[in-house]
Amino acid sequence: MKRKLWIGGLILCMIGGLLAGCSSKTETPANGNSEFVYENDYVKLPEYKGLEYSDSLKEVTDEDVENRINEYLQANTGYEQITEGTAENGDTVNVSFTGTIDGETFDGGSADGSNITLGSGTFIEGFEDGIVGMSVGETKDVECTFPEDYGDEMLNGKDAVFSITLNYICGEQNQVPELNDEYVQSVSNAQTVDEYRELIREELVQSNEASFDANVRANLIAQIRDSAEFKEVPEDMVAEYKEQVLESYQGYADMFGLSYEDFVTDMLNTTEEDLDKTLDTEAENAVKDTLVFQAIAENENLEVTDTEFEEYLTEQATNYGYSSMDEYRTELEDNDQIEDAKAACLNEMVYDFIFDNAVYVEGSSEVETETEIQETENTETDSETSEEETMEESSGE
């Protein structure tokens, strides 16, 4: 699915039209960490330049590369390949096939390296029976007829011919593939094992960079949010954010063929009640972050130019697998999401400004935000309460 869910961008765009009456302000925030440097109708901003962070980019080691390769090998376990003999009913076999109707191929009628259990009834009548008795390596034409109620008007009741090649008979499962040139060519663009290792190393480098950016971003934004003073957090914006997240979860549930309740339980590992509470907090924080970013953009006179927007779209098009920036832009226009994309672009510009003006501090842990301190205090309080209850129970015995 290429389309991006513009949750943050949409809210930023909506709030952008509401903000007005801004003026400079200097006074001490409630937490005493800094002075307010700017305010508008929604928020008083603390000093957002010179923020500290201590997270550092993790180096990729040879051990990391080998561990990731082993993970992929385990994930690609398959059947033992029996390359001699004939297929019997009940066997699982690997086949390649091309289907035609009146000599023309059709959508969904061809596959390369598909595993089929003969007699399972997975394919249309006659297909699996036609494979029974074939020898490994043999190619055979099998005539089949699609059911009248197959569900596709182009195929209902049509006669088809499938040219089927029996690649091998599947033996014992859970066979870990051997790391060799043939394997890496089948799973990547690499031609040799050494090239594959370099691809994996680059993958890990990119992953570490993404984790680094996400951790630092969350920390810096939380520092500003926790030191800011919010005059108003628009409830309709909070509700809009929460609604969009819930809609995205429902979409994923539909994609996996699950009910919403099962998706929340099985995929998110929580309950609907707990998820609702979590989303209430996340939605409020997301809107606060957006108010902060909008205010910083105003104070620093940050605006999205045509050049910056095109650069942003080009990057996003690459990230989401579009063939070109123009293709991506066209889809945004068709879905009335250009303004959302511009808002998201501005969001990135503001974060870049914050990060470029932040200061790296040597240390093993990140600078604690007020939110993190509160969470730690709550945990310690719960722990102390639990210990007291345990002691009372012991005394009562």
Side-chain angles (χ1 to χ4, degrees):
M1 182 172 64
K2 289 181 178 177
R3 184 184 300 177
K4 180 178 180 181
L5 182 63
W6 295 98
I7 294 176
L10 176 59
I11 294 175
L12 180 60
C13 182
M14 295 172 68
I15 293 178
L18 299 176
L19 301 179
C22 305
S23 61
S24 298
K25 187 78 172 180
T26 302
E27 57 184 81
T28 303
N31 60 21
N33 289 338
S34 61
E35 293 184 333
F36 290 127
V37 297
Y38 181 79
E39 72 172 290
N40 59 26
D41 290 345
Y42 290 87
V43 61
K44 292 181 179 181
L45 283 181
E47 179 58 67
Y48 48 84
K49 297 177 185 178
L51 299 177
E52 297 180 352
Y53 68 95
S54 60
D55 201 21
S56 57
L57 188 61
K58 181 183 176 184
E59 182 183 356
V60 176
T61 66
D62 292 342
E63 183 180 0
D64 294 332
V65 173
E66 295 307 313
N67 287 340
R68 178 56 61 87
I69 289 176
N70 286 331
E71 289 176 9
Y72 286 155
L73 288 172
Q74 292 294 331
N76 280 286
T77 56
Y79 291 95
E80 174 190 5
Q81 299 182 12
I82 300 174
T83 57
E84 294 182 351
T86 57
E88 299 179 3
N89 199 41
D91 285 345
T92 297
V93 298
N94 183 276
V95 298
S96 298
F97 57 88
T98 301
T100 58
I101 295 177
D102 296 330
E104 299 291 333
T105 59
F106 55 92
D107 290 342
S110 302
D112 185 26
S114 180
N115 289 338
I116 302 171
T117 300
L118 304 180
S120 65
T122 304
F123 285 71
I124 62 176
E125 185 175 352
F127 188 94
E128 295 170 20
D129 289 341
I131 299 173
V132 174
M134 287 181 63
S135 300
V136 175
E138 180 183 354
T139 298
K140 174 183 176 182
D141 286 346
V142 176
E143 297 180 358
C144 303
T145 300
F146 283 93
E148 292 290 346
D149 59 351
Y150 183 70
D152 186 331
E153 293 183 4
M154 301 297 294
L155 301 177
N156 291 341
K158 295 294 181 65
D159 294 327
V161 176
F162 290 91
S163 177
I164 305 174
T165 299
L166 178 58
N167 298 320
Y168 56 85
I169 300 171
C170 299
E172 185 179 348
Q173 284 184 279
N174 300 323
Q175 299 296 302
V176 179
E178 181 182 352
L179 181 61
N180 53 32
D181 291 350
E182 182 180 3
Y183 166 77
V184 301
Q185 290 169 16
S186 69
V187 298
S188 71
N189 294 325
Q191 298 300 308
T192 67
V193 172
D194 287 341
E195 288 182 13
Y196 184 61
R197 284 195 172 94
E198 288 307 308
L199 285 179
I200 296 300
R201 185 180 298 277
E202 180 60 28
E203 174 188 306
L204 290 172
V205 168
Q206 293 177 2
S207 176
N208 286 354
E209 289 175 348
S211 296
F212 165 79
D213 184 68
N215 291 339
V216 173
R217 176 188 292 258
N219 179 263
L220 293 177
I221 295 173
Q223 286 187 59
I224 303 173
R225 181 180 67 238
D226 290 344
S227 297
E229 181 180 310
F230 294 91
K231 302 177 183 179
E232 178 187 354
V233 179
E235 293 182 3
D236 56 337
M237 300 298 104
V238 175
E240 175 71 12
Y241 180 95
K242 184 177 178 181
E243 180 183 352
Q244 288 187 67
V245 174
L246 290 173
E247 286 179 358
S248 73
Y249 285 159
Q250 183 63 63
Y252 283 119
D254 294 341
M255 184 173 66
F256 288 114
L258 298 172
S259 67
Y260 177 73
E261 181 179 3
D262 288 342
F263 174 80
V264 171
T265 302
D266 299 341
M267 305 298 286
L268 301 182
N269 196 31
T270 187
T271 65
E272 290 187 60
E273 182 180 0
D274 288 343
L275 176 62
D276 192 66
K277 292 178 181 178
T278 299
L279 289 181
D280 283 339
T281 301
E282 289 185 355
E284 182 174 348
N285 283 341
V287 174
K288 285 182 176 180
D289 292 346
T290 301
L291 292 170
V292 164
F293 272 41
Q294 182 66 40
I296 292 174
E298 292 170 354
N299 195 34
E300 300 297 336
N301 297 314
L302 298 176
E303 296 182 354
V304 178
T305 66
D306 291 342
T307 299
E308 288 166 332
F309 189 49
E310 287 193 3
E311 290 176 353
Y312 173 79
L313 291 183
T314 299
E315 180 180 358
Q316 295 300 306
T318 300
N319 292 341
Y320 289 99
Y322 288 83
S323 60
S324 67
M325 184 272 284
D326 290 336
E327 180 191 2
Y328 182 54
R329 184 170 193 143
T330 297
E331 181 163 333
L332 291 175
E333 291 172 345
D334 291 343
N335 289 282
D336 295 323
Q337 291 181 319
I338 286 293
E339 293 306 314
D340 297 340
K342 288 182 178 179
C345 179
L346 179 62
N347 199 53
E348 291 300 311
M349 290 171 60
V350 173
Y351 171 70
D352 289 342
F353 180 88
I354 296 170
F355 179 77
D356 290 343
N357 286 277
V359 179
Y360 174 73
V361 178
E362 290 282 353
S364 59
S365 61
E366 293 181 354
V367 177
E368 280 193 305
T369 64
E370 189 174 285
T371 300
E372 293 168 330
I373 293 172
Q374 184 62 49
E375 290 174 350
T376 302
E377 291 175 349
N378 291 341
T379 301
E380 291 173 349
T381 301
D382 292 342
S383 176
E384 292 170 359
T385 301
S386 178
E387 290 176 0
E388 291 173 359
E389 291 174 348
T390 302
M391 293 176 65
E392 290 174 0
E393 290 173 358
S394 298
S395 299
E397 292 176 358

